[in-house]
Amino acid sequence: MKQARALLAEAQRLQALISDDDRLYKEFSRQSGLIAGTFKDFEDEFRKRWHSLKPTRPESKPDATGQMPRASSVDPGSRERLLCARYLSIAADLRISIVVLRGAVRYGNAATIDVKRAEIRQAVRQLAGLIRDGVGGEPDEQVRTVEVLI
């Protein structure tokens, strides 16, 4: 997915910017609005993609015992839908971290700066792992969890 790779590239640029103290204090405040806007655009793209992949519920009738049949396989779009939801979540986390980090830099709050740096590093690792490995685990359970959360 091209958008996911672009999101990762932007997140890595952000990580490089904030990892250097000089650049953090000199350049970050000027660029943070643009960077946050970029992550907001990614959120919007992934949200639109997620909504376009709404699962279709097959017409099913109860069997002789009155029980509804269980789906034997997962909708092929559900995995992609889950990926979009995860990318959306990571983009939102990065955008929020940028906003908080901007305030921490402005007011010189070293503890918050360290925490936000760590959160951004973690988001970059999660995103790289998600792009490299895809979604692991049992898809049915994960899709239900994401649908409940959204």
Side-chain angles (χ1 to χ4, degrees), residues 14-15 18 94 97 101 116-124:
L14 171 65
Q15 185 178 5
I18 66 166
L94 287 167
S97 292
L101 184 59
K116 292 302 162 188
R117 280 178 169 167
E119 286 180 7
I120 291 170
R121 279 193 306 269
Q122 178 66 26
V124 169

Side-chain angles (χ1 to χ4, degrees), residues 36-146:
T38 302
F39 286 118
K40 178 66 177 152
D41 292 343
F42 280 117
E43 281 181 69
D44 293 342
E45 285 182 38
F46 287 119
R47 186 174 290 112
K48 186 187 315 180
R49 178 92 175 126
W50 184 84
H51 282 294
S52 73
L53 295 170
K54 287 278 186 184
T56 57
R57 302 221 186 263
E59 294 281 330
S60 57
K61 297 178 182 175
D63 61 9
T65 62
Q67 299 291 321
M68 294 297 284
R70 286 198 72 139
S72 60
S73 65
V74 176
D75 176 23
S78 66
R79 209 172 257 300
E80 187 175 352
R81 195 162 186 258
L82 180 59
L83 279 171
C84 285
R86 288 203 177 162
Y87 293 141
L88 168 63
S89 173
I90 291 171
D93 290 346
L94 287 167
R95 182 183 52 82
I96 292 166
S97 292
I98 290 169
V99 172
V100 173
L101 184 59
R102 184 179 2 179
V105 168
R106 180 182 301 147
Y107 296 110
N109 188 336
T112 303
I113 290 171
D114 290 342
V115 168
K116 292 302 162 188
R117 280 178 169 167
E119 286 180 7
I120 291 170
R121 279 193 306 269
Q122 178 66 26
V124 169
R125 280 194 299 269
Q126 285 176 344
L127 187 55
L130 196 56
I131 290 170
R132 181 185 63 243
D133 302 331
V135 180
E138 183 62 37
D140 284 337
E141 183 179 321
Q142 291 175 345
V143 169
R144 274 181 271 169
T145 301
V146 169

Side-chain angles (χ1 to χ4, degrees), residues 9 19 29 122:
S19 61
S29 59
Q122 178 66 26

